[in-house]
Amino acid sequence: MSKLTAFLVSWQRAFAIAVVIAQAGIAVTGSIVRVTGSGLGCPTWPECVEGSVVPVEHPEVAALHQWVEFGNRTLTGVVGVIAGLCVLAAWFHLPRRKRVLVLSLVQLVGVAVQAVVGGITVLTGLAWYTVSIHFMISMGLVWMAVLLVSSLSEGDGPARLKVPAPLMKLQVVMAVVLGALLLAGTWVTAAGPHAGDSSTPRLGVEVATLAQIHADLLFLFLGLLIAVGFFMRTRSYWTLVGVVLAQGALGMVQYWTGVPEVLVSIHVLGAGAVVVATAALWTSSRERTHEVPEEIDTVPSDDQALSKA
């Protein structure tokens, strides 16, 4: 084993944890792009401005907006490198584990998909629905990254439930509600003051209406979380409870204070934390043991015995 291969394998878990942080972090930097009105700081794609990949002086685009948007694009490359290291570590780890390799590839392919969706978002002038899709893909990749981290300490056998089956079904419902909750959050932003600069098209629905839908989904998620708590009170469960309550409190402070820019980005960070905690609860409710190879029968059959006779 070469030194490079040994390095990749020994750091495999660190790479997986790093990709969780990176996938959640790039959603935060994306929110910074949005609240600063820098979404079209680089008005073309894949170039920043026509004729240049990097920001250059432009009569119609402020330098700050260019660098904020360019910085977010650059971070996509960083996430791609980390995802690539996950794939390499999974490939060189012997015996090679299919599930770990597939989950690593999901991260790498996901980064490529996000780059394309980001380009479409720019080319459509920050259409609110493309921004929502961009964010939701990020949250899906965060969830899959948590599964990747968990897979490194699991076996390759079939999943076995550590909790009653109805409780896992309840967690599936929780995941669906969480997805709806996150999507509704993107709609609130799309209709509000931080959807971009003044020229960015808004979602034509009252912010108060969308905020109420978002809050109702949060209460539904909390109700499901309480129901899970009657049967499961592990460390993962209490972590999720704490993160959700903190995120809910932050959302209320946002609404009462007129949605200041800094709280928007912190709220996006909290959304990523909720996804991580929910995915961690899911992984803690199942286990995969190492497959035990079938024992080879060493006792000769009657036919074998007769043939040797």
Side-chain angles (χ1 to χ4, degrees), residues 208-269:
T209 301
L210 295 171
Q212 185 61 57
I213 293 173
H214 188 52
D216 291 343
L217 287 168
L218 172 61
F219 290 133
L220 177 57
F221 187 81
L222 282 170
L224 293 169
L225 190 55
I226 291 171
V228 170
F230 282 107
F231 306 96
M232 185 179 184
R233 299 178 185 177
T234 61
R235 179 181 297 178
S236 296
Y237 172 77
W238 289 116
T239 298
L240 177 56
V241 170
V243 172
V244 171
L245 290 178
Q247 179 74 338
L250 178 60
M252 288 188 287
V253 172
Q254 274 186 284
Y255 190 76
W256 293 334
T257 57
V259 199
E261 289 87 346
V262 65
L263 292 187
V264 173
S265 294
I266 295 175
H267 200 54
V268 170
L269 177 61

Side-chain angles (χ1 to χ4, degrees), residues 83-171:
L85 290 171
C86 288
V87 173
L88 290 174
W91 180 261
F92 286 115
H93 184 281
L94 298 176
R96 194 168 294 133
R97 301 179 58 197
K98 180 179 178 180
R99 184 162 180 264
V100 175
L101 182 58
V102 169
L103 288 171
S104 299
L105 284 169
V106 166
Q107 295 299 311
L108 186 59
V109 173
V111 173
V113 170
Q114 281 290 68
V116 174
V117 173
I120 293 172
T121 300
V122 171
L123 296 177
T124 57
L126 304 185
W128 65 267
Y129 51 87
T130 62
V131 177
S132 294
I133 293 170
H134 206 28
F135 176 77
M136 294 302 293
I137 293 174
S138 281
M139 293 299 99
L141 290 172
V142 169
W143 182 288
M144 297 302 291
V146 174
L147 297 189
L148 172 60
V149 173
S150 177
S151 70
L152 296 178
S153 56
E154 296 175 334
D156 297 313
R160 184 181 70 83
L161 299 184
K162 298 168 65 176
V163 298
L167 192 57
M168 290 303 297
K169 293 180 180 179
L170 191 58
Q171 288 193 51

